[in-house]
């Protein structure tokens, strides 16, 4: 029997897999993409996009509640309808996933619906049919970890404890939400529900929330969340869950908090269990890859959350492009992980690229820090936004950008300028002498750059 054969089969249609498939097809490859659910993966269906849509809903609600600050007089109470918010979220998701399906089709990628069972490095079975491939790109993503805390599994089975996926489809907005884990996902949900009036508590095992960020940003961000009414307990370890009671240990004492919903957001585990047949080199559940994303088995690649390097959609897509280009003959295609931007979407946002001050110190690099606050930005004040600052870390001698950290509304968009500067190995001099439009938020970066070279103008 003749098997249908491809140059590349991509397993999993998230931002890693679908981008890899499109790029490989654009470069002339015969490509199939296997997806068991809906293309777009966690990011489009249950992650990045749904959370940002709900964050916008929450922000609009909060802004309307503060309408008087803008001279707007409202008659009567302001309220929200959670089911309509979910409806808007679902329609945004549908529009994007339909768009991705269209792009795959337009680029000539065969999309095969169903669970892909890997039989070998060159054969995958879907719905009883076997497909053959010269190269296999694995992009099966990751799933939330439910840690072995006594009672948590039972609470999850009784739907009191949920992961982000269930919370994004919950019937009613929780009144009392306890979040186990103060990472990116935890703080984004804290912002959504606290803005909608829920009583929110974050319990974090480490000494602070959002551990991947620069310490100055972390402490300021934590203060802002607390000011907004979010309760945050750090150095606090959840010991047990009993029904809707969460017991955690802090300063050697047990404390208990009740919740109608408990969000478990302590991290994600790569979906590698079904790939054992390939006998790939592993680092726990993550598949080990080289700079071209090739695994220990020739012709097999692992991109996105599956390789556990950076569990971010834009990294998954960048890796997908590198793997596709490398397979299609661009042998110089390789990943650089030192300029990966990180972002947290809330009010305000946090974004960073490059090294934190702590990392620069650890590396023993001579450096200079320059900061500039939002308070001194005309555009920020016009927008009624006062919280935040930009922090640039530059090399002492040449003022090369080593790290950039922004706490501000719009930070996730602003950070791209610094990523480009770093890619071009640019310095604070180039940023300071680049004319930024006025009044814009981007001026805070220019001012911080002036501060790194000499002194800021508006401070
Ligand atoms: C709540 C939340 C918010 C997030 N927000 C952001 C954000 O703002 N920015 C950001 O950069 N990242 C964010 N992330 C992380 C981001 O979603 C992931 O990094 C990204 O989706 C990883 O892409 P991927 O292609 O590796 O895997 P996934 O998106 O997980 O896609 C994997 C796909 O493979 C399919 N699949 C798995 N096994 C098989 C099989 N055997 N056969 C067929 N199909 C299979 C799955 O159905 C899935 O569609 C968020 C995550 C969550 C949970």
């Amino acid at each position: 029997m003749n098997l249908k054969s491809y140059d590349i089969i991509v397993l999993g249609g998230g931002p890693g897999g679908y981008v890899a498939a499109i790029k490989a097809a654009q470069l002339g490859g015969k490509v199939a993409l296997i997806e068991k659910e809906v293309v777009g993966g966690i990011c489009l269906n249950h992650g990045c996009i749904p959370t940002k849509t709900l964050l916008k809903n929450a922000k609009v609600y909060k802004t309307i509640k503060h309408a008087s600050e803008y001279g707007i007089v409202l008659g009567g109470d302001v309220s929200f309808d959670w089911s309509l918010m979910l409806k808007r979220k679902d329609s945004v998701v549908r529009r994007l996933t339909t768009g991705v399906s269209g792009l795959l089709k337009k680029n000539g990628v065969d999309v095969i619906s169903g669970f892909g069972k890997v039989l070998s490095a060159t054969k995958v079975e879907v719905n009883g049919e076997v497909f053959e491939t010269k190269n296999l790109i694995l992009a099966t993503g990751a799933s939330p970890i439910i840690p072995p805390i006594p009672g948590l599994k039972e609470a999850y089975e009784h739907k009191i404890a949920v992961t982000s996926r269930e919370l994004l489809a919950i019937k009613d907005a929780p009144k009392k939400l306890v979040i186990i884990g103060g990472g990116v996902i935890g703080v984004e949900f804290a912002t959504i529900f606290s803005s909608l009036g829920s009583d929110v508590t974050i319990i974090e095992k480490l000494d602070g929330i959002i551990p991947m960020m620069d310490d100055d940003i972390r402490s300021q961000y934590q203060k802002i969340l607390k000011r907004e009414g979010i309760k945050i307990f750090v150095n606090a370890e959840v010991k047990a869950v009993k029904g809707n009671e969460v017991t955690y240990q802090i300063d050697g004492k047990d404390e208990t908090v009740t919740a109608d919903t408990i969000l478990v957001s302590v991290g994600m585990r790569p979906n590698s269990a079904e790939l054992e047949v390939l006998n790939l080199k592993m680092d726990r559940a993550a598949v080990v890859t080289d700079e071209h994303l090739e695994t220990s088995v020739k012709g097999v690649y692992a991109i996105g959350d599956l390789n556990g390097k950076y569990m971010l959609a834009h990294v998954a897509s960048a890796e997908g492009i590198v793997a596709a280009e490398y397979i299609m003959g661009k042998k110089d295609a390789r990943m650089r992980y030192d300029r990966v931007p990180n972002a947290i979407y809330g009010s305000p946002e946090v974004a960073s690229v490059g090294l934190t001050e702590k990392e620069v110190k650890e590396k023993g690099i001579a450096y200079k820090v320059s900061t500039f606050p939002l308070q001194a930005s005309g555009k920020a004040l016009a927008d009624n936004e006062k919280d935040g600052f930009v922090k640039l870390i530059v090399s002492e001698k040449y003022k090369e950008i080593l790290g950039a950290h922004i706490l501000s509304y719009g930070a996730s968009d602003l950070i791209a300028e610094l990523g480009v500067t770093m890619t071009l190995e640019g310095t604070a001099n180039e940023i300071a002498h680049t004319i930024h439009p006025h009044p814009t938020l981007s001026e805070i970066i220019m001012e911080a750059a002036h501060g790194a070279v000499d002194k800021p103008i508006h401070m």
Side-chain angles (χ1 to χ4, degrees):
M1 192 182 73
N2 270 347
L3 302 180
K4 196 156 186 197
S5 68
Y6 291 93
D7 294 320
I8 302 176
I9 285 182
V10 182
L11 187 65
Y18 86 73
V19 169
I22 290 174
K23 179 48 88 180
Q26 286 171 345
L27 294 173
K30 189 176 174 211
V31 184
L33 173 76
I34 303 170
E35 172 54 57
K36 65 182 166 65
E37 294 180 17
V38 181
V39 290
I42 295 295
C43 180
L44 268 61
N45 292 287
H46 313 287
C48 328
I49 297 298
T51 46
K52 278 29 150 207
T53 308
L54 291 174
L55 272 162
K56 178 69 183 179
N57 284 3
K59 184 151 193 179
V60 170
Y61 176 67
K62 212 170 141 189
T63 306
I64 293 174
K65 285 196 106 174
H66 289 90
S68 62
E69 290 175 22
Y70 301 88
I72 297 166
V73 183
L74 295 173
D77 279 347
V78 179
S79 60
F80 68 89
D81 182 333
W82 176 247
S83 67
L84 293 179
M85 290 190 168
L86 290 186
K87 220 168 143 188
R88 187 177 96 83
K89 176 212 61 164
D90 291 340
S91 92
V92 171
V93 168
R94 222 173 9 257
R95 191 171 168 157
L96 285 171
T97 54
T98 308
V100 169
S101 293
L103 287 174
L104 288 161
K105 201 170 162 199
K106 217 171 156 190
N107 282 285
V109 175
D110 283 354
V111 177
I112 304 166
S113 291
F115 180 84
K117 185 175 174 209
V118 177
L119 304 177
S120 70
T122 55
K123 286 193 178 67
V124 184
E125 183 186 322
V126 190
N127 304 324
E129 190 179 349
V130 177
F131 298 87
E132 206 169 30
T133 186
K134 291 184 190 126
N135 299 279
L136 180 60
I137 299 182
L138 304 168
T140 54
S143 301
I145 295 169
I146 307 280
I149 295 168
L152 186 57
K153 195 167 153 255
E154 291 74 9
Y156 182 68
E157 282 159 6
H158 287 98
K159 299 189 168 46
I160 296 168
V162 294
T163 67
S164 55
R165 187 163 177 157
E166 291 93 39
L167 192 52
L168 284 167
I170 201 159
K171 249 180 95 203
D172 297 303
K175 298 222 164 15
K176 276 194 98 177
L177 176 66
V178 170
I179 300 174
I180 308 178
V184 181
I185 293 175
V187 299
E188 286 191 5
F189 279 103
T191 304
I192 293 173
F193 289 110
S194 129
S195 304
L196 295 176
S198 309
D199 177 337
V200 179
T201 304
I202 298 176
I203 304 173
E204 168 58 55
K205 200 168 155 179
L206 301 177
D207 63 356
I209 57 170
I210 54 164
M212 75 299 284
M213 293 295 178
D214 189 85
D215 286 344
D216 290 341
I217 301 271
R218 290 173 74 195
S219 62
Q220 187 63 22
Y221 188 61
Q222 188 161 312
K223 273 188 207 148
I224 293 169
L225 293 188
K226 281 188 173 172
R227 190 192 66 202
E228 295 300 306
I230 297 168
K231 282 165 254 164
I232 301 175
F233 297 104
V234 298
N235 291 315
E237 191 170 356
V238 175
K239 291 289 179 189
V241 175
K242 201 170 170 198
N244 60 354
E245 283 183 356
V246 180
T247 301
Y248 59 97
Q249 198 172 67
I250 187 163
D251 298 331
K253 278 194 300 200
D254 280 355
E255 301 283 352
T256 296
V257 59
T258 57
D260 53 58
T261 304
I262 302 162
L263 169 65
V264 188
S265 52
V266 297
M268 308 281 285
R269 181 179 291 117
N271 295 325
S272 55
E274 313 276 355
L275 307 170
E276 271 171 14
V277 65
L278 292 170
N279 209 11
L280 303 171
K281 186 172 177 208
M282 306 290 290
D283 178 3
R284 288 183 288 178
V287 177
V288 174
T289 55
D290 65 15
E291 60 188 345
H292 312 294
L293 285 313
E294 196 164 21
T295 68
S296 57
V297 174
K298 205 168 162 36
V300 177
Y301 298 76
I303 61 171
D305 285 5
L306 178 64
N307 66 36
K309 289 194 175 93
Y310 284 83
M311 293 204 175
L312 293 168
H314 42 281
V315 176
S317 298
E319 290 177 338
I321 290 172
V322 167
E325 286 180 341
Y326 185 72
I327 293 169
M328 296 306 296
K330 295 193 176 184
K331 294 300 172 200
D332 57 347
R334 55 175 50 85
M335 269 305 285
R336 279 199 67 158
Y337 292 100
D338 56 345
R339 289 165 197 158
V340 171
N342 260 298
I344 297 172
Y345 303 75
S347 320
E349 295 185 346
V350 179
S352 74
V353 62
L355 301 172
T356 62
E357 191 172 353
K358 200 164 152 191
E359 287 167 339
V360 173
K361 269 188 196 149
E362 279 164 9
K363 285 179 184 288
I365 304 170
Y367 69 97
K368 182 179 174 189
V369 168
S370 172
T371 61
F372 191 82
L374 251 70
Q375 300 263 9
S377 154
K379 181 61 165 48
L381 292 185
D383 286 343
N384 199 25
E385 301 273 358
K386 302 168 197 83
D387 283 328
F389 61 96
V390 52
K391 171 174 174 178
L392 295 184
I393 306 168
V394 301
S395 65
E396 176 85 65
K397 195 166 175 195
Y398 298 112
K399 312 291 183 253
E400 188 177 347
I401 308 293
L402 302 171
H405 308 273
I406 307 173
L407 176 71
S408 167
Y409 75 111
S412 59
D413 288 312
L414 290 179
I415 202 70
E417 171 178 354
L418 291 146
V420 172
T421 308
M422 289 178 78
T423 299
L424 298 172
E425 292 176 5
T427 72
N429 285 296
E430 279 88 43
I431 297 180
H433 293 103
T434 297
I435 302 173
H436 287 61
H438 175 76
T440 60
L441 195 55
S442 66
E443 288 170 296
I444 62 173
I445 296 172
M446 181 182 67
E447 290 280 3
H450 274 297
V453 176
D454 183 8
K455 280 188 181 135
I457 306 297
H458 291 94
M459 216 173 51

